[in-house]
Amino acid sequence: MIRRRTALSVSAVALLAAAPALTACGSASHPGAAAVVGKDRITVTQLQSQVSDVRDAQRSSPQGQQLLANSARLGQDTLIRLIQYRIVARAGADNGIDVSRRELQEQRAAVERANGGADAVRNRFLTLGIAPDQIDQALTMDLTRAKLDAKFGTARTNDILMRTSDAMRVDVNPRYGVWDAKRGTAQPLREPWLRPEPQAVPPA
């Protein structure tokens, strides 16, 4: 059984920490595309639309000025997440894992109960650069990753995600950087996207 992770500090913060690296170098150019993930193009227009949704939601927040000031890298961080969503979704599909609408609804309700209600959760996601209409997508990715971990263990899931990323041949517009599946880190984020394998606790 999959252990429910309802605290936003676990299930949502992990989304940003789970972003593989974009470095300063460039890659092959695709006119009009922010990135190409397999056969899927993430257009600059799509990316800008997502960023605009976040900015609009941030401006309407009581903490809007602070949120805007703390999201200078919003475009790049949003692109990283959009790529990550596709890799995790492909890894899940390739390994017989999906997330039902009911599971998503239950997870969102659990997150809201554990974090002070729907408004509090929306505000917390905004601090991560995720607009209210993007929350379900973020939770779906987190649930898929949790199911992969439950089925294969952390170490094997890490390997599956790296191999899936390589197979999909992620190509990022040089304006946003270069995808690095092997390093598995995001700058300026400090945490790796690949979770460390749990260490066995020696007997007392």
Side-chain angles (χ1 to χ4, degrees), residues 17-65:
L22 290 180
T23 62
C25 300
S27 62
S29 176
H30 293 272
V36 178
V37 187
K39 296 181 179 179
D40 188 8
R41 289 167 55 91
I42 302 172
T43 68
V44 172
T45 299
Q46 289 170 331
L47 175 61
Q48 290 175 340
S49 176
Q50 291 242 338
V51 170
S52 293
D53 286 347
V54 177
R55 293 292 190 206
D56 289 344
Q58 289 177 335
R59 290 188 187 97
S60 65
S61 168
Q63 295 80 36
Q65 187 173 0

Side-chain angles (χ1 to χ4, degrees), residues 86-107:
R86 286 158 173 78
I87 292 172
V88 174
R90 171 67 66 81
D94 288 348
N95 290 280
I97 288 172
D98 62 6
V99 174
S100 69
R101 184 64 187 169
R102 180 176 179 179
E103 287 175 314
L104 176 58
Q105 291 172 340
E106 290 174 349
Q107 179 69 356

Side-chain angles (χ1 to χ4, degrees), residues 4 98-112 134-143 147:
R4 292 288 184 187
D98 62 6
V99 174
S100 69
R101 184 64 187 169
R102 180 176 179 179
E103 287 175 314
L104 176 58
Q105 291 172 340
E106 290 174 349
Q107 179 69 356
R108 181 154 185 172
V111 168
E112 290 174 352
Q134 300 165 12
I135 293 175
D136 282 354
Q137 187 179 28
L139 290 177
T140 298
M141 190 205 77
D142 195 53
L143 282 168
K147 287 188 174 187

